[in-house]
Every structure is written in C-alpha cells, then in structure tokens.
Amino acid sequence: MRIIFAVATVVATLGLIAAGGCSAAGPHRDRFYTGPVSEHFDGRKFFNPDGEQGTGGQEKQSNLGLLERAFGKGQHSSWPKSVPVTPSVPPARVAGTAMRVTWIGHATALIQTNGLNILLDPVWSERDSPVAFAGPRRVREPGVRFADLPKIDLVLLSHNHYDHLDLAVMGKLWRRDHPLIVTGLGNDVLLADHGIKAVARDWGGTVAVAPGVIVTLHRAHHWSAHWVDDHDLTLWTAFRVTLPGGDLYYAGDTGPGDMKWGLEARTERPVRLAVLPIGAIKLEGAPSGNHIGPAEAVTAFGQLGAAYALGVHWGTFELTSEAIDEPPQLLAKVLAEKHIEAGRFRVLEAGGAWEIPAIAGPEGIASR
C-alpha cells in the first residue's frame, strides 16, 4: 500500500506541476513562519497545547497521510453520488444590525450584517484533494454560485486543509473584491505564493475591520498540512468577530481536545451566532480527535453562551464513515436530550438562508 501511495505522490506532484499549481517544494515550503517559542509553537511547528490527539491523529501517521486520504479514503457506499441543490442568490448587503447567514456547503458560509459580507472558509472546488482527478468528490453543489456571490469584505480562513482552503477561489475572490483576509500565522505566506494578500495573527491577536468590528483569533484543536512535507508549519484557528447587535463566532475546524476553547472565547459580550462543525467524526467507525460532533458542538454552544448556532462541516465531502445525514440527526437528538429549542441550533440545506433574530444586550438571552 505504501508503494502505491508513493507512486501516487509522484503522479500527483507531476499533475500539480503540469497544472501550474502548488508543487511539493516551494520558496517557503520549509518554513512558513518564524517567531518566538510559545505554548503552541516549538520554534518550527505549531502544536495543540492541550495534547497531540488532534494534531493529525490517524490521518498523520506518515507524511503520506494526506495523499492516502485523497487517493484511497472517503469513498463509502452509504453516501449518494449527489444531493439536489437549488442555488440561492443572496442580497447585495444587509443593513444595520440585521443578520443573515447562508450555508454554501461544508464549512463555507456567508454572514451578512452591518453592511458587511463575511465569508467563512470559501471552498467551491469539486474535490477535497490536492489534485483534480482523485479524492472525495463534492456531493452537494455550492448553495450559491460564485457568480452570484455578493462583493466580499472579509474572509475568515481557519487553516490550510483542502476542504477549507480553495486556492483557486481565493484567487478569484482576491482579484474580484480584494477582501480583508484574516488567518492564522503562516497561512499568509502560503497565500502570498499565489499572489493573495492576507493578514495573519496568532491566537489572541486582533484585526480591526471597521468601526465597532474587530476580529479576534482564538484557540482551536486541530492540525495543518497543504502538502506532504509541511505538517503543522501554519496555525489553525477559530474566530470571534465583534459586531454591533451581537458577535459572530466561528470555530473553524476543531477536535474536542480539552473542551475549554469555547470557554476561552466567551466574553461579557453576547455571541449572537456561533458557526460550529458537527460532522466528519468517524474514521472507519473510530472517533476522530480532529473534529467535534453534535454533542461537543452543543457543549461549545453552551460554553459560548450563544443565542443561536449553525451546524456546518457535514454532508458535502465524504471525509469519514458516518452516513451523510447522521450529523443532523445526532444534533436533533442531543438538543432534545438537553431540552434546547431546536430553532436555536439549526442546520440548513445548501443555499438555505436564516435571518438571525435580534438579541438583547450583554445581559440578555446570550448570557443566560
């Protein structure tokens, strides 16, 4: 099997070079970020301060792990080949403190509020793979066609895995809209290699977007890799966006770890909407240390004191062995067991939109 994947490595590399894409070597491949040692950076690589379970787990047992998944995993017969999607066309802007969220697919979502268009981990690619001819194929088409996407002001890029970083669409966004792109340390170097400008920060770092709008990066429990030789050279992150009318929290891609990251991101300000992953939780039946499922997502929902939440990271790419509709079903079960109103933590169909209700001030529903 390792011989097969070694051959696949060569084939993939040649394919990437022929396509003009990211090759296995590059001007910054050996060092994306240089800086002082910290509680999550050893001077060369990033790590989870609460333990290494999530830093690659079963997927990172060797440098061939990324290609092993691309060429040999994520193809379970329980998933349909496609799910019908009716794309929607979002409004150009949403004014004032009204808030609208549209699920585009997987972790990609559009949040519109205060006249800002905020895009989370934009991915329009057909496959979650470093190559176009192999790897898990999209079963839900994007819920918004790229041509119908309104002008984007802010992109939050959680990390560099292919199901979260689509370099082709990032390039199109950059050339079309020149949005502010905020990401974790080192990802700015990767993007710069492709002519895309981004602002990178460490956990705890902030970026001012507009008056009253500030992005703060928060800890997540995950790992990073964009090729076979760059594991954990860039930082994975969650985000909290301070907004008039109530904040936005996006967990990015995270495993449970110590399950304290939700508490760490909580402040006296209310979280109006939390965008939390609920899928990709079973590796051939075994739990994944890299992703939370519905139970952990509901725990984080409570830790954040969020008024509402949207479940993402499910039903788009067949990355793990659970059934395509298992995460929403498990979410409904957990919410019922916890006596949480189902309307507060929802899933949407691709292209579906949700007008997030207004919330009270810092002492209102979000702090109950």
Side-chain angles (χ1 to χ4, degrees):
M1 187 63 70
R2 291 179 63 83
I3 293 173
I4 292 172
F5 291 129
V7 172
T9 302
V10 175
V11 173
T13 302
L14 291 175
L16 286 167
I17 293 172
C22 176
S23 66
H28 305 287
R29 186 62 57 192
D30 59 337
R31 184 66 65 87
F32 281 101
Y33 168 74
T34 57
V37 172
S38 73
E39 76 283 354
H40 56 274
F41 182 66
D42 65 9
R44 184 172 185 270
K45 290 192 173 187
F46 294 94
F47 60 91
N48 291 309
D50 57 346
E52 287 301 303
Q53 179 189 3
T55 310
Q58 296 181 25
E59 293 98 324
K60 213 187 73 173
Q61 291 176 353
S62 75
N63 279 344
L64 296 175
L66 186 64
L67 287 174
E68 288 177 8
R69 186 179 78 175
F71 284 88
K73 295 184 179 181
Q75 303 295 328
H76 300 280
S77 60
S78 62
W79 278 48
K81 290 185 178 180
S82 65
V83 174
V85 170
T86 302
S88 63
V89 180
R93 301 279 175 185
V94 171
T97 57
M99 178 180 281
R100 187 178 196 267
V101 59
T102 304
W103 187 49
I104 295 171
H106 198 55
T108 307
L110 172 67
I111 292 89
Q112 299 178 280
T113 185
N114 291 278
L116 292 171
N117 291 329
I118 304 169
L119 195 58
L120 310 181
D121 283 344
V123 172
W124 266 256
S125 60
E126 183 66 17
R127 292 185 186 272
D128 168 28
S129 173
V131 295
F133 56 86
R137 184 187 292 274
R138 179 187 288 272
V139 300
R140 276 182 165 87
E141 290 301 309
V144 176
R145 298 184 182 93
F146 184 84
D148 293 329
L149 195 66
K151 184 179 187 299
I152 300 302
D153 305 294
L154 173 64
V155 174
L156 302 181
L157 175 62
S158 66
H159 67 301
N160 66 3
H161 285 158
Y162 285 87
D163 58 328
H164 293 257
L165 172 55
D166 179 345
L167 282 168
V169 82
M170 288 292 286
K172 290 173 68 175
L173 275 170
W174 177 251
R175 291 188 294 272
R176 192 191 77 169
D177 298 341
H178 281 78
L180 173 61
I181 302 170
V182 181
T183 188
L185 295 172
N187 291 306
D188 56 331
V189 179
L190 173 59
L191 291 171
D193 285 347
H194 295 266
I196 304 164
K197 182 180 179 181
V199 176
R201 294 286 188 270
D202 201 352
W203 295 336
T206 61
V207 178
V209 178
V213 181
I214 299 172
V215 178
T216 302
L217 281 68
H218 285 277
R219 179 170 69 95
H221 185 95
H222 204 58
W223 64 294
S224 65
H226 202 71
W227 195 244
V228 297
D229 61 349
D230 64 350
H231 287 294
D232 302 333
L233 297 184
T234 63
L235 182 63
W236 49 96
T237 190
F239 303 91
R240 180 167 179 150
V241 184
T242 301
L243 289 163
D247 295 358
L248 167 70
Y249 175 82
Y250 174 43
D253 212 350
T254 187
D258 61 7
M259 277 308 299
K260 294 180 180 178
W261 38 267
L263 291 171
E264 292 169 5
R266 184 166 181 159
T267 72
E268 293 182 356
R269 293 183 52 83
V271 171
R272 184 174 180 180
L273 176 66
V275 180
L276 300 168
I278 62 170
I281 53 177
K282 292 180 180 178
L283 295 171
E284 302 299 338
S288 170
N290 304 315
H291 300 126
I292 60 172
E296 294 89 357
V298 170
T299 296
F301 177 57
Q303 290 177 337
L304 290 161
Y308 301 97
L310 175 68
V312 299
H313 208 277
W314 68 278
T316 306
F317 297 106
E318 188 179 3
L319 306 181
T320 44
S321 59
E322 72 263 20
I324 188 171
D325 55 356
E326 187 174 347
Q329 291 174 353
L330 289 175
L331 176 63
K333 181 179 178 181
V334 173
L335 292 173
E337 290 173 349
K338 300 290 186 180
H339 305 289
I340 298 172
E341 181 186 348
R344 290 184 58 203
F345 196 148
R346 301 184 185 183
V347 295
L348 300 171
E349 183 49 80
W354 180 16
E355 305 286 342
I356 307 301
I359 61 173
E363 303 304 321
I365 183 173
S367 60
R368 288 179 186 171

